Amino acid sequence: MNRQIVVSAGPRDTRLAIMENDRLAELKIEHGHHILGSVYKARVENVVRALDAAFVDIGLERNAFLYVADAVPEEPRMRRGRPQGLRPITEILKPRQDVLVQVTKGPIGRKGARVSARISLPGRYSVLMVQGGKKVGVSRKIESAKERERLRKLGEEVRPKDFGLIIRTQAQGVTAAQLGRDVRFLQRVWRGIQHKANESKAPALVHEDIGLPYVMLRDVFSSDISAFVVDDAELHKGLLNLVGSIAPKLRSRIKLYEGATPLFERYNIDQQLEQTLRPRVPLAHGGFIVIEQTEALTAIDVNSGKFTDSPSLADTVLHTNLEAVEEIGRQLRLRDIGGIIVIDFIDMDRLRHRREVMAALRRTLKEDRMKTRIAHLTPLGLVEMTRKRTGKSLRDTLYATCPHCEGRGGILSPEAVATNCINQLRRAAAKSRAEAFRVTVHPSVIPAVIGEEGEGAEELERLVESDIYVRSSEEMDPERSKVASLSKGEIERIESHFRAGRRVKVSQDQILSDGPARQMAAVDGYTIIVPDGIPAGSDTVDIELTEIGHSFAKGTVVTPKKRARRRRSRK
């Protein structure tokens, strides 16, 4: 597989993409400071016994959350997912106490960052555990038992006293000298953190983890990456300096892009991203998956669609599910989805097929750098799993909540808005003795308010026993309506604008009704109904007003023949 890392450093953010065979596999975006992994001198704001946690001020907008299991020096024993043998949080922390913490999960939505008092400093080949005691661990992704044992012995040799050490996957094949240099560098970083913490007043940032491109160079860049391409000369120089000290053999793969075409456009990344972040993701042979993200969990639904390549229904279901597994693995990485995930596979009758799909899912998730855990496959074909969440998902990073639907995924129908408008008008009429009211709605709501032939507007006037002037405005929220009482002077100004016999020009973008009828248009917010329909084709159409009402006028299209007859009659 051809894997490349592509980095575009812009004035507002840094975007990093991992490409696999020219296909977008991951996208990371960094705005401003790198919060995850940074170390802060924090001030305990309040200790909550009911939550067994404390909220600490680290200088960000929201206080960070420090759980009791993360507030003790050594990692507690776990039983059925719960920490054991811990003292109450009130015996560990007190309000106004200073504590050194590290961010383990960035802020998400209304939640502040999650932090830990156990500091861990990652290097290229190892992770230095400041409160780790004598522990030496080896990455489980190193499958060779012989290599794991070798690295464990090296770790025992280079581990500083009173520190713990974890040997990373990247350490496969390294020498004692290489591992020793990595550990000594991390020790210098820790001494710098201690020095700055002693001189700082809480809340204060005492150590900021390296930026996104450098993190990827340290954690991901290896011999299986064919190129690390960046479009910024200063960043290119910094990456060359870093790779020269940690992996000099890979220095030639750090490349500076100087083309006129934007880097992400050159690699077709933006186009792929736009297609990928849609809820519905197509599969190769006609099936598709639908991904719906909520604050609590993510639901993924697998559908066979037009899949017809298999000789039987059971084979169709199996092949669709297997295709979906590959795409789901990619989508979890690309969208950076974390937390609880529920996958609704197509029901499989055969036990052998269910086992095959679950085995494929486990293989796919092995390639994920984030920790995942699969619970089980239920009789209904549902798979429950979790994926480690360290910050916002890609969707939450790139998208803001829609101001119209407010995250519901839809807006009120014109009919529903019309009903709300009627209720609003009735309330206004009950409170005011005004002779007339002006109702303003979005153009898309006009047909539902006044009716196809204006009968709705007449019904409104009978309902509230007042004159009603319905107008449309593009500036109105499609879900809202505005009702205001009118003075006599305002009524006169409104009624003087349109008169019977007047001709108005209607452009195609002013037509309100869809379909072949095309009987309704809006001119300066005033609705014009043309019973015979408004013809398509020309940019503008002349309409002569024949009847004038408070909320709408009726008119007829002025054809070239009618214009000619009128010109002859004048002569």
Side-chain angles (χ1 to χ4, degrees):
M1 179 184 294
N2 179 28
R3 302 180 70 212
Q4 298 182 71
I5 296 176
V6 181
V7 182
S8 178
R12 294 179 177 85
D13 59 25
T14 298
R15 300 192 172 200
L16 183 147
I18 297 179
M19 307 294 293
E20 295 178 352
N21 292 336
D22 297 325
R23 195 179 184 201
L24 182 61
E26 291 185 43
L27 181 68
K28 305 290 184 183
I29 300 175
E30 183 178 69
H31 298 280
H33 296 296
H34 189 74
I35 295 176
L36 189 65
S38 295
V39 179
Y40 292 84
K41 184 175 183 180
R43 175 70 53 84
V44 178
E45 288 293 311
N46 55 327
V47 180
V48 185
R49 176 68 182 268
L51 298 177
D52 241 353
F55 291 91
V56 300
D57 182 7
I58 61 174
L60 300 182
E61 182 180 357
R62 292 184 178 88
N63 288 339
F65 181 81
L66 177 58
Y67 182 51
V68 63
D70 297 318
V72 294
E74 295 185 5
E75 190 170 347
R77 300 188 311 276
M78 304 296 288
R79 184 180 180 184
R80 295 180 180 178
R82 303 287 298 177
Q84 303 296 309
L86 291 174
R87 292 180 294 155
I89 188 68
T90 50
E91 295 182 13
I92 300 172
L93 295 173
K94 303 295 181 183
R96 311 305 298 168
Q97 176 183 342
D98 289 349
V99 58
L100 204 61
V101 296
Q102 184 174 38
V103 177
T104 57
K105 185 185 295 185
I108 303 173
R110 293 165 299 195
K111 298 178 181 178
R114 182 161 179 170
V115 296
S116 172
R118 290 192 298 276
I119 311 298
S120 59
L121 303 176
R124 172 73 170 177
Y125 304 122
S126 63
V127 178
L128 188 66
M129 312 296 290
V130 175
Q131 294 97 344
K134 299 180 179 180
K135 177 183 176 182
V136 174
V138 180
S139 170
R140 295 178 181 177
K141 292 186 177 181
I142 300 176
E143 297 179 354
S144 170
K146 185 177 180 180
E147 178 65 4
R148 289 173 60 87
E149 185 59 29
R150 184 186 76 88
L151 290 173
R152 191 181 303 277
K153 289 179 180 179
L154 289 184
E156 293 287 358
E157 293 175 12
V158 301
R159 181 187 64 82
K161 186 181 179 181
D162 298 327
F163 285 83
L165 197 66
I166 296 176
I167 310 299
R168 306 186 69 179
T169 310
Q170 296 277 26
Q172 294 183 83
V174 301
T175 63
Q178 290 174 302
L179 188 60
R181 282 197 299 269
D182 196 55
V183 172
R184 286 191 294 273
F185 168 74
L186 297 177
Q187 282 184 280
R188 290 196 298 272
V189 172
W190 172 239
R191 286 194 291 269
I193 291 173
Q194 288 179 303
H195 177 72
K196 189 169 182 180
N198 291 333
E199 293 185 341
S200 301
K201 182 179 179 181
L205 172 65
V206 296
H207 170 71
E208 183 177 3
D209 199 8
I210 54 179
L212 177 62
Y214 297 98
V215 169
M216 298 301 284
L217 185 74
R218 179 191 68 196
D219 296 348
V220 179
F221 189 48
S222 59
S223 58
D224 66 337
I225 303 292
S226 62
F228 196 125
V229 186
V230 300
D231 61 1
D232 181 83
E234 186 175 345
L235 176 60
H236 177 252
K237 183 179 178 180
L239 292 172
L240 285 177
N241 290 336
L242 179 59
V243 79
S245 61
I246 64 174
K249 293 182 180 178
L250 301 178
R251 199 172 190 274
S252 61
R253 301 189 188 187
I254 308 290
K255 302 181 184 298
L256 176 63
Y257 176 77
E258 298 179 294
T261 304
L263 181 58
F264 269 35
E265 184 178 335
R266 164 69 179 79
Y267 280 83
N268 198 33
I269 293 172
D270 289 332
Q271 294 87 333
Q272 290 190 51
L273 181 64
E274 182 181 352
Q275 296 170 0
T276 303
L277 282 182
R278 294 171 183 168
R280 177 168 166 157
V281 181
L283 302 177
H285 291 87
F288 61 92
I289 61 175
V290 178
I291 302 175
E292 294 291 344
Q293 291 179 245
T294 69
E295 188 170 345
L297 59 82
T298 298
I300 303 177
D301 184 31
V302 181
N303 297 272
S304 59
K306 299 178 180 179
F307 193 112
T308 57
D309 288 357
S310 298
S312 67
L313 176 60
D315 286 338
T316 297
V317 170
L318 174 63
H319 291 154
T320 303
N321 284 337
L322 289 175
E323 269 194 1
V325 162
E326 296 297 324
E327 187 60 36
I328 288 169
R330 173 175 175 262
Q331 291 293 329
L332 293 180
R333 293 169 58 203
L334 176 56
R335 301 179 188 228
D336 203 7
I337 297 173
I340 301 171
I341 301 162
V342 178
I343 307 172
D344 183 8
F345 285 108
I346 306 172
D347 292 347
M348 294 169 284
D349 295 331
R350 299 176 185 175
L351 178 60
R352 176 170 56 86
H353 288 179
R354 293 199 293 270
R355 288 175 174 170
E356 190 174 343
V357 169
M358 292 301 291
L361 181 61
R362 291 188 177 92
R363 284 196 304 271
T364 300
L365 295 178
K366 268 189 175 182
E367 301 175 7
D368 197 339
R369 290 182 293 109
M370 290 297 171
K371 184 179 180 180
T372 58
R373 185 171 65 88
I374 302 174
H376 55 85
L377 174 65
T378 71
L380 295 177
L382 299 178
V383 172
E384 299 172 2
M385 61 171 288
T386 60
R387 183 174 186 268
K388 184 179 179 181
R389 176 185 285 169
T390 57
K392 292 182 179 180
S393 68
L394 186 60
R395 187 199 67 170
D396 292 338
T397 301
L398 292 176
Y399 290 90
T401 301
C402 172
H404 295 305
C405 75
E406 296 178 346
R408 298 190 304 272
I411 62 173
L412 290 175
S413 67
E415 292 75 18
V417 178
T419 299
N420 293 343
C421 175
I422 293 171
N423 293 333
Q424 184 181 2
L425 180 61
R426 294 178 67 178
R427 289 193 297 270
K431 293 179 180 178
S432 172
R433 295 183 179 180
E435 295 180 1
F437 293 90
R438 180 186 179 109
V439 175
T440 309
V441 295
H442 189 268
S444 62
V445 184
I446 284 291
V449 173
I450 70 172
E452 294 182 2
E453 298 181 2
E455 71 280 1
E458 297 168 356
E459 183 181 342
L460 282 179
E461 294 189 336
R462 290 195 298 270
L463 184 66
V464 299
E465 297 180 348
S466 299
D467 292 339
I468 306 298
Y469 294 82
V470 179
R471 295 294 185 270
S472 63
S473 171
E474 291 282 356
E475 296 180 357
M476 281 295 296
D477 186 324
E479 292 189 299
R480 303 286 183 265
S481 57
K482 183 179 179 182
V483 177
S485 58
L486 294 173
S487 65
K488 288 186 178 180
E490 289 171 325
I491 294 172
E492 290 175 359
R493 284 195 296 273
I494 292 174
E495 292 184 341
S496 67
H497 196 59
F498 291 96
R499 299 287 185 184
R502 178 185 168 183
R503 291 189 194 177
V504 296
K505 287 188 178 295
V506 174
S507 60
Q508 296 298 320
D509 60 359
Q510 291 176 306
I511 297 172
L512 300 179
S513 49
D514 295 327
R518 296 165 57 89
Q519 295 177 330
M520 196 174 288
V523 177
D524 296 332
Y526 188 49
T527 303
I528 299 172
I529 299 174
V530 183
D532 296 332
I534 304 171
S538 56
D539 294 336
T540 60
V541 177
D542 287 338
I543 295 177
E544 183 175 304
L545 305 183
T546 56
E547 298 179 31
I548 300 295
H550 295 152
S551 296
F552 65 92
K554 288 191 176 181
T556 181
V557 175
V558 180
T559 63
K561 290 183 180 179
K562 288 182 180 179
R563 295 193 193 99
R565 282 200 298 269
R566 289 197 174 98
R567 281 197 298 269
R568 286 196 297 269
S569 65
R570 292 192 192 101
K571 293 180 180 178

